[in-house]
Amino acid sequence: MKPLTYERLHSNLLLLKLTTIEQILDNCLEMAAKDGKTTMEVLDHLFEQEKRYREAAAIERRTRFAVFPVRKTLDNFDFEFQPSIDRKVIEDLATLRFVHNAENVVLLGPPGVGKSHLAIALGMESVKAGFSVYFINAGSLIEKLKKANREGVLEKKLKDFTRYKLLIIDEMGYLPFDEEGAHCFFQLISKRYEKSSIIFTSNKSYGQWGEIFQDNVIASAVLDRILHHCTTINVKGESYRLKDRRKLGLQTGKL
Ligand SMILES: Nc1ncnc2c1ncn2[C@@H]1O[C@H](COP(=O)(O)OP(=O)(O)OP(=O)(O)O)[C@@H](O)[C@H]1O
Ligand SMILES: [Mg+2]
C-alpha cells in the first residue's frame, strides 16, 4: 500500500466517524493476510466491530441517563433466596412486553427483599433494548414536581417525565406526600396512563397507599390508573441485607 493511500484511508475513516474501524484496521489487515481471509470476510469483521462498539456506547449512554443508584442485573439475583418471587413472572417481564404495551409493574414488600434490585435490573434490560429509562426516588420526584409547581412550570416538568418510555419510581411510602405533592403526583400518573410504563417499589400494601397520599380519594384514583394494566409482585421473606450481615457474623439480634 502506498503511504498516501494509507494516510488517506485513516483520515477518511476518522472523517466518517468510523473510529473503531480506524483503530483496529492495521491489526486486522495484518491478521487477515496471515490467516488468508477474503476481502469480504475482512470487511464484514470490520463493520461488525464498528456496529458492536456503537451499540455498547449507546447502551452505556442510556444507562448513565437513567441515573440508576447502582447497577443490578437479573443474572445476579438469587431467586432461590426469595422463593416468594415467581421466576417465570420476572422472566416474562424481562421480555419487555410490558414496556411495549405501556403497562406497569409494582414490587411490594418489606425492606431488603430485592424490590429495587429487580426494578433496576428490569430498567437495565430496557436500556439494552433501546428504551429511554429514568430512575427516581419517590421523595425526590415529589420535591421536583412541587418546586416546578411553585415556579409555574409544572406542565413542562410533567412533559419531561413523560418523555421516558420507562419511569422507575422507587420507595413509594417511606415518606408520605403532602396535599400539593399528591396533587402533582396524580397529574404525572394521568399523563403517563396507557402511554408509557412505570415500575414502582413500595414497602406499603395497596390498602396502605391512602397513608402515602394522606387522602383516600387521590390514592384510589392513582391506584385505579396504575392497576388497570399492571403486574404486581408481592415479595415476602427475609431481607438479603440481613443474610449478608449474618454471613459476616454481625447480627446483633436487634434487627
Ligand atoms: N435475591 C437476591 N439476590 C441477590 N441480591 C439480592 C437479593 N435480594 C436483595 N439483594 C441485594 O440486597 C440489597 C438490598 O436489596 P434491595 O435494595 O433491592 O431491597 P429493597 O427491597 O429495595 O429494600 P428497601 O425497601 O429497604 O429499599 C441489594 O444490594 C440487593 O442487590
Ligand atoms: Mg429499595
Side-chain angles (χ1 to χ4, degrees), residues 216-251:
N216 283 328
V217 177
I218 292 214
S220 53
V222 164
L223 277 176
D224 197 46
R225 282 161 181 76
I226 294 173
L227 299 181
H228 187 191
H229 310 286
C230 183
T231 303
T232 301
I233 294 155
N234 264 302
V235 195
K236 295 183 188 84
E238 199 178 70
S239 165
Y240 201 84
R241 295 184 188 117
L242 203 64
K243 177 201 150 184
D244 280 348
R245 276 208 296 278
R246 278 214 186 106
K247 221 163 46 190
L248 293 167
L250 295 176
Q251 202 196 349

PDB file of all heavy atoms in Angstrom, residues 216-251:
ATOM      1  N   ASN A 216     -57.580   9.348  50.773  1.00  0.00           N
ATOM      2  CA  ASN A 216     -58.042   8.090  50.157  1.00  0.00           C
ATOM      3  C   ASN A 216     -58.594   8.286  48.753  1.00  0.00           C
ATOM      4  O   ASN A 216     -58.503   7.387  47.921  1.00  0.00           O
ATOM      5  CB  ASN A 216     -59.108   7.427  51.041  1.00  0.00           C
ATOM      6  CG  ASN A 216     -58.449   6.747  52.230  1.00  0.00           C
ATOM      7  OD1 ASN A 216     -57.315   6.267  52.126  1.00  0.00           O
ATOM      8  ND2 ASN A 216     -59.131   6.753  53.367  1.00  0.00           N
ATOM      9  N   VAL A 217     -59.159   9.463  48.484  1.00  0.00           N
ATOM     10  CA  VAL A 217     -59.754   9.705  47.161  1.00  0.00           C
ATOM     11  C   VAL A 217     -58.648   9.733  46.100  1.00  0.00           C
ATOM     12  O   VAL A 217     -58.732   9.067  45.068  1.00  0.00           O
ATOM     13  CB  VAL A 217     -60.576  11.018  47.149  1.00  0.00           C
ATOM     14  CG1 VAL A 217     -61.134  11.302  45.766  1.00  0.00           C
ATOM     15  CG2 VAL A 217     -61.693  10.937  48.178  1.00  0.00           C
ATOM     16  N   ILE A 218     -57.588  10.518  46.370  1.00  0.00           N
ATOM     17  CA  ILE A 218     -56.462  10.578  45.414  1.00  0.00           C
ATOM     18  C   ILE A 218     -55.799   9.211  45.305  1.00  0.00           C
ATOM     19  O   ILE A 218     -55.496   8.742  44.208  1.00  0.00           O
ATOM     20  CB  ILE A 218     -55.419  11.643  45.819  1.00  0.00           C
ATOM     21  CG1 ILE A 218     -56.037  13.022  45.668  1.00  0.00           C
ATOM     22  CG2 ILE A 218     -54.158  11.518  44.973  1.00  0.00           C
ATOM     23  CD1 ILE A 218     -55.111  14.116  45.248  1.00  0.00           C
ATOM     24  N   ALA A 219     -55.604   8.552  46.455  1.00  0.00           N
ATOM     25  CA  ALA A 219     -54.939   7.229  46.433  1.00  0.00           C
ATOM     26  C   ALA A 219     -55.715   6.276  45.545  1.00  0.00           C
ATOM     27  O   ALA A 219     -55.120   5.565  44.723  1.00  0.00           O
ATOM     28  CB  ALA A 219     -54.836   6.671  47.847  1.00  0.00           C
ATOM     29  N   SER A 220     -57.056   6.267  45.645  1.00  0.00           N
ATOM     30  CA  SER A 220     -57.773   5.287  44.814  1.00  0.00           C
ATOM     31  C   SER A 220     -57.804   5.710  43.353  1.00  0.00           C
ATOM     32  O   SER A 220     -57.769   4.846  42.467  1.00  0.00           O
ATOM     33  CB  SER A 220     -59.176   4.974  45.359  1.00  0.00           C
ATOM     34  OG  SER A 220     -59.869   6.150  45.539  1.00  0.00           O
ATOM     35  N   ALA A 221     -57.792   7.020  43.074  1.00  0.00           N
ATOM     36  CA  ALA A 221     -57.737   7.464  41.661  1.00  0.00           C
ATOM     37  C   ALA A 221     -56.391   7.088  41.050  1.00  0.00           C
ATOM     38  O   ALA A 221     -56.310   6.662  39.885  1.00  0.00           O
ATOM     39  CB  ALA A 221     -57.953   8.971  41.582  1.00  0.00           C
ATOM     40  N   VAL A 222     -55.315   7.229  41.840  1.00  0.00           N
ATOM     41  CA  VAL A 222     -53.977   6.866  41.351  1.00  0.00           C
ATOM     42  C   VAL A 222     -53.906   5.358  41.127  1.00  0.00           C
ATOM     43  O   VAL A 222     -53.502   4.885  40.060  1.00  0.00           O
ATOM     44  CB  VAL A 222     -52.893   7.329  42.369  1.00  0.00           C
ATOM     45  CG1 VAL A 222     -51.559   6.656  42.103  1.00  0.00           C
ATOM     46  CG2 VAL A 222     -52.727   8.841  42.333  1.00  0.00           C
ATOM     47  N   LEU A 223     -54.343   4.599  42.143  1.00  0.00           N
ATOM     48  CA  LEU A 223     -54.270   3.137  42.039  1.00  0.00           C
ATOM     49  C   LEU A 223     -55.114   2.603  40.889  1.00  0.00           C
ATOM     50  O   LEU A 223     -54.726   1.662  40.200  1.00  0.00           O
ATOM     51  CB  LEU A 223     -54.717   2.485  43.350  1.00  0.00           C
ATOM     52  CG  LEU A 223     -53.631   2.403  44.416  1.00  0.00           C
ATOM     53  CD1 LEU A 223     -54.184   1.833  45.715  1.00  0.00           C
ATOM     54  CD2 LEU A 223     -52.461   1.548  43.932  1.00  0.00           C
ATOM     55  N   ASP A 224     -56.283   3.210  40.690  1.00  0.00           N
ATOM     56  CA  ASP A 224     -57.175   2.788  39.605  1.00  0.00           C
ATOM     57  C   ASP A 224     -56.438   2.839  38.263  1.00  0.00           C
ATOM     58  O   ASP A 224     -56.517   1.912  37.461  1.00  0.00           O
ATOM     59  CB  ASP A 224     -58.379   3.741  39.591  1.00  0.00           C
ATOM     60  CG  ASP A 224     -59.519   3.161  38.800  1.00  0.00           C
ATOM     61  OD1 ASP A 224     -59.814   1.962  39.007  1.00  0.00           O
ATOM     62  OD2 ASP A 224     -60.110   3.888  37.966  1.00  0.00           O
ATOM     63  N   ARG A 225     -55.707   3.913  38.042  1.00  0.00           N
ATOM     64  CA  ARG A 225     -54.967   4.063  36.780  1.00  0.00           C
ATOM     65  C   ARG A 225     -53.766   3.115  36.723  1.00  0.00           C
ATOM     66  O   ARG A 225     -53.518   2.473  35.712  1.00  0.00           O
ATOM     67  CB  ARG A 225     -54.493   5.516  36.607  1.00  0.00           C
ATOM     68  CG  ARG A 225     -55.606   6.430  36.143  1.00  0.00           C
ATOM     69  CD  ARG A 225     -55.290   7.890  36.411  1.00  0.00           C
ATOM     70  NE  ARG A 225     -56.382   8.751  35.984  1.00  0.00           N
ATOM     71  CZ  ARG A 225     -57.524   8.902  36.641  1.00  0.00           C
ATOM     72  NH1 ARG A 225     -57.750   8.223  37.770  1.00  0.00           N
ATOM     73  NH2 ARG A 225     -58.467   9.699  36.187  1.00  0.00           N
ATOM     74  N   ILE A 226     -53.012   3.053  37.825  1.00  0.00           N
ATOM     75  CA  ILE A 226     -51.807   2.195  37.822  1.00  0.00           C
ATOM     76  C   ILE A 226     -52.191   0.732  37.599  1.00  0.00           C
ATOM     77  O   ILE A 226     -51.572   0.015  36.813  1.00  0.00           O
ATOM     78  CB  ILE A 226     -51.040   2.336  39.163  1.00  0.00           C
ATOM     79  CG1 ILE A 226     -50.464   3.738  39.310  1.00  0.00           C
ATOM     80  CG2 ILE A 226     -49.912   1.298  39.235  1.00  0.00           C
ATOM     81  CD1 ILE A 226     -49.837   4.018  40.678  1.00  0.00           C
ATOM     82  N   LEU A 227     -53.244   0.300  38.292  1.00  0.00           N
ATOM     83  CA  LEU A 227     -53.566  -1.135  38.293  1.00  0.00           C
ATOM     84  C   LEU A 227     -54.347  -1.599  37.071  1.00  0.00           C
ATOM     85  O   LEU A 227     -54.522  -2.800  36.879  1.00  0.00           O
ATOM     86  CB  LEU A 227     -54.352  -1.499  39.564  1.00  0.00           C
ATOM     87  CG  LEU A 227     -53.601  -1.251  40.869  1.00  0.00           C
ATOM     88  CD1 LEU A 227     -54.444  -1.658  42.072  1.00  0.00           C
ATOM     89  CD2 LEU A 227     -52.282  -2.011  40.887  1.00  0.00           C
ATOM     90  N   HIS A 228     -54.800  -0.656  36.251  1.00  0.00           N
ATOM     91  CA  HIS A 228     -55.579  -1.047  35.071  1.00  0.00           C
ATOM     92  C   HIS A 228     -54.780  -2.020  34.187  1.00  0.00           C
ATOM     93  O   HIS A 228     -55.307  -3.015  33.701  1.00  0.00           O
ATOM     94  CB  HIS A 228     -55.982   0.217  34.289  1.00  0.00           C
ATOM     95  CG  HIS A 228     -56.921  -0.075  33.160  1.00  0.00           C
ATOM     96  ND1 HIS A 228     -57.237   0.851  32.211  1.00  0.00           N
ATOM     97  CD2 HIS A 228     -57.598  -1.193  32.813  1.00  0.00           C
ATOM     98  CE1 HIS A 228     -58.076   0.327  31.337  1.00  0.00           C
ATOM     99  NE2 HIS A 228     -58.306  -0.923  31.680  1.00  0.00           N
ATOM    100  N   HIS A 229     -53.504  -1.725  33.960  1.00  0.00           N
ATOM    101  CA  HIS A 229     -52.639  -2.636  33.196  1.00  0.00           C
ATOM    102  C   HIS A 229     -51.378  -2.797  34.037  1.00  0.00           C
ATOM    103  O   HIS A 229     -50.466  -1.958  33.955  1.00  0.00           O
ATOM    104  CB  HIS A 229     -52.238  -2.029  31.850  1.00  0.00           C
ATOM    105  CG  HIS A 229     -53.404  -1.496  31.055  1.00  0.00           C
ATOM    106  ND1 HIS A 229     -54.299  -2.306  30.423  1.00  0.00           N
ATOM    107  CD2 HIS A 229     -53.800  -0.225  30.827  1.00  0.00           C
ATOM    108  CE1 HIS A 229     -55.205  -1.570  29.806  1.00  0.00           C
ATOM    109  NE2 HIS A 229     -54.932  -0.290  30.042  1.00  0.00           N
ATOM    110  N   CYS A 230     -51.340  -3.818  34.856  1.00  0.00           N
ATOM    111  CA  CYS A 230     -50.252  -3.871  35.842  1.00  0.00           C
ATOM    112  C   CYS A 230     -49.929  -5.296  36.291  1.00  0.00           C
ATOM    113  O   CYS A 230     -50.824  -6.131  36.408  1.00  0.00           O
ATOM    114  CB  CYS A 230     -50.671  -3.045  37.058  1.00  0.00           C
ATOM    115  SG  CYS A 230     -49.423  -2.941  38.333  1.00  0.00           S
ATOM    116  N   THR A 231     -48.649  -5.555  36.506  1.00  0.00           N
ATOM    117  CA  THR A 231     -48.235  -6.805  37.149  1.00  0.00           C
ATOM    118  C   THR A 231     -47.765  -6.451  38.556  1.00  0.00           C
ATOM    119  O   THR A 231     -46.894  -5.593  38.719  1.00  0.00           O
ATOM    120  CB  THR A 231     -47.043  -7.448  36.389  1.00  0.00           C
ATOM    121  OG1 THR A 231     -47.444  -7.645  35.037  1.00  0.00           O
ATOM    122  CG2 THR A 231     -46.634  -8.769  36.999  1.00  0.00           C
ATOM    123  N   THR A 232     -48.368  -7.094  39.556  1.00  0.00           N
ATOM    124  CA  THR A 232     -47.948  -6.833  40.936  1.00  0.00           C
ATOM    125  C   THR A 232     -47.113  -8.010  41.433  1.00  0.00           C
ATOM    126  O   THR A 232     -47.508  -9.163  41.255  1.00  0.00           O
ATOM    127  CB  THR A 232     -49.179  -6.670  41.854  1.00  0.00           C
ATOM    128  OG1 THR A 232     -49.963  -5.586  41.377  1.00  0.00           O
ATOM    129  CG2 THR A 232     -48.766  -6.389  43.290  1.00  0.00           C
ATOM    130  N   ILE A 233     -45.983  -7.697  42.014  1.00  0.00           N
ATOM    131  CA  ILE A 233     -45.147  -8.761  42.584  1.00  0.00           C
ATOM    132  C   ILE A 233     -45.044  -8.515  44.087  1.00  0.00           C
ATOM    133  O   ILE A 233     -44.506  -7.497  44.534  1.00  0.00           O
ATOM    134  CB  ILE A 233     -43.750  -8.767  41.928  1.00  0.00           C
ATOM    135  CG1 ILE A 233     -43.928  -9.152  40.454  1.00  0.00           C
ATOM    136  CG2 ILE A 233     -42.821  -9.768  42.605  1.00  0.00           C
ATOM    137  CD1 ILE A 233     -42.850  -8.656  39.585  1.00  0.00           C
ATOM    138  N   ASN A 234     -45.625  -9.436  44.827  1.00  0.00           N
ATOM    139  CA  ASN A 234     -45.597  -9.348  46.286  1.00  0.00           C
ATOM    140  C   ASN A 234     -44.416 -10.152  46.794  1.00  0.00           C
ATOM    141  O   ASN A 234     -44.424 -11.371  46.722  1.00  0.00           O
ATOM    142  CB  ASN A 234     -46.886  -9.954  46.855  1.00  0.00           C
ATOM    143  CG  ASN A 234     -47.907  -8.883  47.130  1.00  0.00           C
ATOM    144  OD1 ASN A 234     -47.648  -7.945  47.899  1.00  0.00           O
ATOM    145  ND2 ASN A 234     -49.050  -8.998  46.473  1.00  0.00           N
ATOM    146  N   VAL A 235     -43.413  -9.464  47.279  1.00  0.00           N
ATOM    147  CA  VAL A 235     -42.241 -10.194  47.768  1.00  0.00           C
ATOM    148  C   VAL A 235     -42.374 -10.380  49.273  1.00  0.00           C
ATOM    149  O   VAL A 235     -42.578  -9.414  50.007  1.00  0.00           O
ATOM    150  CB  VAL A 235     -40.927  -9.433  47.458  1.00  0.00           C
ATOM    151  CG1 VAL A 235     -39.742 -10.362  47.632  1.00  0.00           C
ATOM    152  CG2 VAL A 235     -40.947  -8.854  46.058  1.00  0.00           C
ATOM    153  N   LYS A 236     -42.281 -11.633  49.673  1.00  0.00           N
ATOM    154  CA  LYS A 236     -42.317 -11.900  51.124  1.00  0.00           C
ATOM    155  C   LYS A 236     -40.991 -12.544  51.467  1.00  0.00           C
ATOM    156  O   LYS A 236     -40.347 -13.128  50.620  1.00  0.00           O
ATOM    157  CB  LYS A 236     -43.464 -12.862  51.434  1.00  0.00           C
ATOM    158  CG  LYS A 236     -44.814 -12.256  51.127  1.00  0.00           C
ATOM    159  CD  LYS A 236     -45.927 -13.207  51.523  1.00  0.00           C
ATOM    160  CE  LYS A 236     -47.248 -12.675  51.031  1.00  0.00           C
ATOM    161  NZ  LYS A 236     -47.528 -13.017  49.632  1.00  0.00           N
ATOM    162  N   GLY A 237     -40.628 -12.477  52.714  1.00  0.00           N
ATOM    163  CA  GLY A 237     -39.408 -13.187  53.090  1.00  0.00           C
ATOM    164  C   GLY A 237     -38.403 -12.308  53.784  1.00  0.00           C
ATOM    165  O   GLY A 237     -38.689 -11.164  54.153  1.00  0.00           O
ATOM    166  N   GLU A 238     -37.217 -12.873  53.913  1.00  0.00           N
ATOM    167  CA  GLU A 238     -36.187 -12.238  54.719  1.00  0.00           C
ATOM    168  C   GLU A 238     -35.388 -11.213  53.904  1.00  0.00           C
ATOM    169  O   GLU A 238     -35.257 -11.348  52.693  1.00  0.00           O
ATOM    170  CB  GLU A 238     -35.250 -13.340  55.204  1.00  0.00           C
ATOM    171  CG  GLU A 238     -34.420 -12.930  56.384  1.00  0.00           C
ATOM    172  CD  GLU A 238     -33.537 -14.068  56.861  1.00  0.00           C
ATOM    173  OE1 GLU A 238     -32.593 -14.427  56.147  1.00  0.00           O
ATOM    174  OE2 GLU A 238     -33.807 -14.568  57.965  1.00  0.00           O
ATOM    175  N   SER A 239     -34.872 -10.229  54.621  1.00  0.00           N
ATOM    176  CA  SER A 239     -34.027  -9.233  53.970  1.00  0.00           C
ATOM    177  C   SER A 239     -32.701  -9.867  53.565  1.00  0.00           C
ATOM    178  O   SER A 239     -32.067 -10.576  54.350  1.00  0.00           O
ATOM    179  CB  SER A 239     -33.760  -8.071  54.934  1.00  0.00           C
ATOM    180  OG  SER A 239     -32.689  -7.297  54.465  1.00  0.00           O
ATOM    181  N   TYR A 240     -32.285  -9.547  52.343  1.00  0.00           N
ATOM    182  CA  TYR A 240     -30.995 -10.044  51.852  1.00  0.00           C
ATOM    183  C   TYR A 240     -29.864  -9.354  52.615  1.00  0.00           C
ATOM    184  O   TYR A 240     -28.799  -9.928  52.807  1.00  0.00           O
ATOM    185  CB  TYR A 240     -30.891  -9.748  50.354  1.00  0.00           C
ATOM    186  CG  TYR A 240     -29.896 -10.596  49.626  1.00  0.00           C
ATOM    187  CD1 TYR A 240     -30.228 -11.865  49.176  1.00  0.00           C
ATOM    188  CD2 TYR A 240     -28.604 -10.125  49.375  1.00  0.00           C
ATOM    189  CE1 TYR A 240     -29.307 -12.638  48.491  1.00  0.00           C
ATOM    190  CE2 TYR A 240     -27.684 -10.894  48.693  1.00  0.00           C
ATOM    191  CZ  TYR A 240     -28.039 -12.151  48.247  1.00  0.00           C
ATOM    192  OH  TYR A 240     -27.123 -12.919  47.565  1.00  0.00           O
ATOM    193  N   ARG A 241     -30.138  -8.136  53.059  1.00  0.00           N
ATOM    194  CA  ARG A 241     -29.114  -7.401  53.827  1.00  0.00           C
ATOM    195  C   ARG A 241     -28.816  -8.150  55.129  1.00  0.00           C
ATOM    196  O   ARG A 241     -27.680  -8.238  55.567  1.00  0.00           O
ATOM    197  CB  ARG A 241     -29.617  -5.991  54.159  1.00  0.00           C
ATOM    198  CG  ARG A 241     -29.832  -5.120  52.945  1.00  0.00           C
ATOM    199  CD  ARG A 241     -30.247  -3.709  53.351  1.00  0.00           C
ATOM    200  NE  ARG A 241     -30.632  -2.917  52.207  1.00  0.00           N
ATOM    201  CZ  ARG A 241     -31.850  -2.429  52.010  1.00  0.00           C
ATOM    202  NH1 ARG A 241     -32.802  -2.647  52.900  1.00  0.00           N
ATOM    203  NH2 ARG A 241     -32.120  -1.716  50.934  1.00  0.00           N
ATOM    204  N   LEU A 242     -29.889  -8.709  55.723  1.00  0.00           N
ATOM    205  CA  LEU A 242     -29.767  -9.462  56.970  1.00  0.00           C
ATOM    206  C   LEU A 242     -28.917 -10.704  56.738  1.00  0.00           C
ATOM    207  O   LEU A 242     -28.062 -11.046  57.547  1.00  0.00           O
ATOM    208  CB  LEU A 242     -31.172  -9.877  57.415  1.00  0.00           C
ATOM    209  CG  LEU A 242     -31.391 -10.179  58.887  1.00  0.00           C
ATOM    210  CD1 LEU A 242     -31.173  -8.926  59.702  1.00  0.00           C
ATOM    211  CD2 LEU A 242     -32.822 -10.681  59.099  1.00  0.00           C
ATOM    212  N   LYS A 243     -29.149 -11.335  55.578  1.00  0.00           N
ATOM    213  CA  LYS A 243     -28.383 -12.533  55.231  1.00  0.00           C
ATOM    214  C   LYS A 243     -26.897 -12.189  55.153  1.00  0.00           C
ATOM    215  O   LYS A 243     -26.051 -12.908  55.674  1.00  0.00           O
ATOM    216  CB  LYS A 243     -28.878 -13.070  53.881  1.00  0.00           C
ATOM    217  CG  LYS A 243     -28.107 -14.263  53.395  1.00  0.00           C
ATOM    218  CD  LYS A 243     -28.253 -14.439  51.902  1.00  0.00           C
ATOM    219  CE  LYS A 243     -27.000 -15.070  51.366  1.00  0.00           C
ATOM    220  NZ  LYS A 243     -26.898 -15.234  49.983  1.00  0.00           N
ATOM    221  N   ASP A 244     -26.611 -11.029  54.492  1.00  0.00           N
ATOM    222  CA  ASP A 244     -25.216 -10.607  54.366  1.00  0.00           C
ATOM    223  C   ASP A 244     -24.608 -10.330  55.744  1.00  0.00           C
ATOM    224  O   ASP A 244     -23.465 -10.664  56.011  1.00  0.00           O
ATOM    225  CB  ASP A 244     -25.110  -9.350  53.495  1.00  0.00           C
ATOM    226  CG  ASP A 244     -25.174  -9.701  52.001  1.00  0.00           C
ATOM    227  OD1 ASP A 244     -25.072 -10.896  51.683  1.00  0.00           O
ATOM    228  OD2 ASP A 244     -25.348  -8.781  51.189  1.00  0.00           O
ATOM    229  N   ARG A 245     -25.426  -9.710  56.624  1.00  0.00           N
ATOM    230  CA  ARG A 245     -24.915  -9.404  57.974  1.00  0.00           C
ATOM    231  C   ARG A 245     -24.635 -10.686  58.745  1.00  0.00           C
ATOM    232  O   ARG A 245     -23.641 -10.808  59.437  1.00  0.00           O
ATOM    233  CB  ARG A 245     -25.927  -8.539  58.731  1.00  0.00           C
ATOM    234  CG  ARG A 245     -25.796  -7.062  58.425  1.00  0.00           C
ATOM    235  CD  ARG A 245     -26.269  -6.204  59.578  1.00  0.00           C
ATOM    236  NE  ARG A 245     -27.672  -6.379  59.849  1.00  0.00           N
ATOM    237  CZ  ARG A 245     -28.636  -5.765  59.175  1.00  0.00           C
ATOM    238  NH1 ARG A 245     -28.336  -4.978  58.175  1.00  0.00           N
ATOM    239  NH2 ARG A 245     -29.897  -5.958  59.496  1.00  0.00           N
ATOM    240  N   ARG A 246     -25.560 -11.674  58.583  1.00  0.00           N
ATOM    241  CA  ARG A 246     -25.382 -12.960  59.269  1.00  0.00           C
ATOM    242  C   ARG A 246     -24.080 -13.616  58.857  1.00  0.00           C
ATOM    243  O   ARG A 246     -23.347 -14.145  59.661  1.00  0.00           O
ATOM    244  CB  ARG A 246     -26.520 -13.906  58.906  1.00  0.00           C
ATOM    245  CG  ARG A 246     -27.726 -13.638  59.714  1.00  0.00           C
ATOM    246  CD  ARG A 246     -28.468 -14.937  59.986  1.00  0.00           C
ATOM    247  NE  ARG A 246     -29.698 -14.592  60.644  1.00  0.00           N
ATOM    248  CZ  ARG A 246     -30.870 -14.624  60.064  1.00  0.00           C
ATOM    249  NH1 ARG A 246     -30.989 -15.064  58.844  1.00  0.00           N
ATOM    250  NH2 ARG A 246     -31.944 -14.262  60.723  1.00  0.00           N
ATOM    251  N   LYS A 247     -23.854 -13.531  57.511  1.00  0.00           N
ATOM    252  CA  LYS A 247     -22.661 -14.170  56.962  1.00  0.00           C
ATOM    253  C   LYS A 247     -21.395 -13.575  57.608  1.00  0.00           C
ATOM    254  O   LYS A 247     -20.436 -14.249  57.891  1.00  0.00           O
ATOM    255  CB  LYS A 247     -22.630 -13.963  55.450  1.00  0.00           C
ATOM    256  CG  LYS A 247     -22.172 -15.198  54.722  1.00  0.00           C
ATOM    257  CD  LYS A 247     -22.475 -15.243  53.257  1.00  0.00           C
ATOM    258  CE  LYS A 247     -22.186 -14.012  52.467  1.00  0.00           C
ATOM    259  NZ  LYS A 247     -22.714 -14.062  51.117  1.00  0.00           N
ATOM    260  N   LEU A 248     -21.481 -12.260  57.872  1.00  0.00           N
ATOM    261  CA  LEU A 248     -20.336 -11.593  58.476  1.00  0.00           C
ATOM    262  C   LEU A 248     -20.314 -11.754  59.999  1.00  0.00           C
ATOM    263  O   LEU A 248     -19.425 -11.254  60.675  1.00  0.00           O
ATOM    264  CB  LEU A 248     -20.368 -10.088  58.130  1.00  0.00           C
ATOM    265  CG  LEU A 248     -20.159  -9.736  56.658  1.00  0.00           C
ATOM    266  CD1 LEU A 248     -20.514  -8.285  56.400  1.00  0.00           C
ATOM    267  CD2 LEU A 248     -18.713  -9.982  56.254  1.00  0.00           C
ATOM    268  N   GLY A 249     -21.361 -12.410  60.531  1.00  0.00           N
ATOM    269  CA  GLY A 249     -21.443 -12.620  61.972  1.00  0.00           C
ATOM    270  C   GLY A 249     -21.708 -11.340  62.727  1.00  0.00           C
ATOM    271  O   GLY A 249     -21.317 -11.179  63.879  1.00  0.00           O
ATOM    272  N   LEU A 250     -22.392 -10.398  62.051  1.00  0.00           N
ATOM    273  CA  LEU A 250     -22.611  -9.083  62.680  1.00  0.00           C
ATOM    274  C   LEU A 250     -24.014  -8.917  63.240  1.00  0.00           C
ATOM    275  O   LEU A 250     -24.344  -7.857  63.751  1.00  0.00           O
ATOM    276  CB  LEU A 250     -22.378  -7.959  61.651  1.00  0.00           C
ATOM    277  CG  LEU A 250     -20.960  -7.825  61.122  1.00  0.00           C
ATOM    278  CD1 LEU A 250     -20.895  -6.748  60.058  1.00  0.00           C
ATOM    279  CD2 LEU A 250     -20.001  -7.503  62.254  1.00  0.00           C
ATOM    280  N   GLN A 251     -24.840  -9.954  63.144  1.00  0.00           N
ATOM    281  CA  GLN A 251     -26.220  -9.758  63.595  1.00  0.00           C
ATOM    282  C   GLN A 251     -26.249  -9.547  65.100  1.00  0.00           C
ATOM    283  O   GLN A 251     -25.642 -10.280  65.862  1.00  0.00           O
ATOM    284  CB  GLN A 251     -27.067 -10.959  63.204  1.00  0.00           C
ATOM    285  CG  GLN A 251     -28.522 -10.587  63.162  1.00  0.00           C
ATOM    286  CD  GLN A 251     -29.405 -11.811  63.164  1.00  0.00           C
ATOM    287  OE1 GLN A 251     -28.935 -12.917  63.001  1.00  0.00           O
ATOM    288  NE2 GLN A 251     -30.670 -11.586  63.389  1.00  0.00           N
TER     289      GLN A 251
END
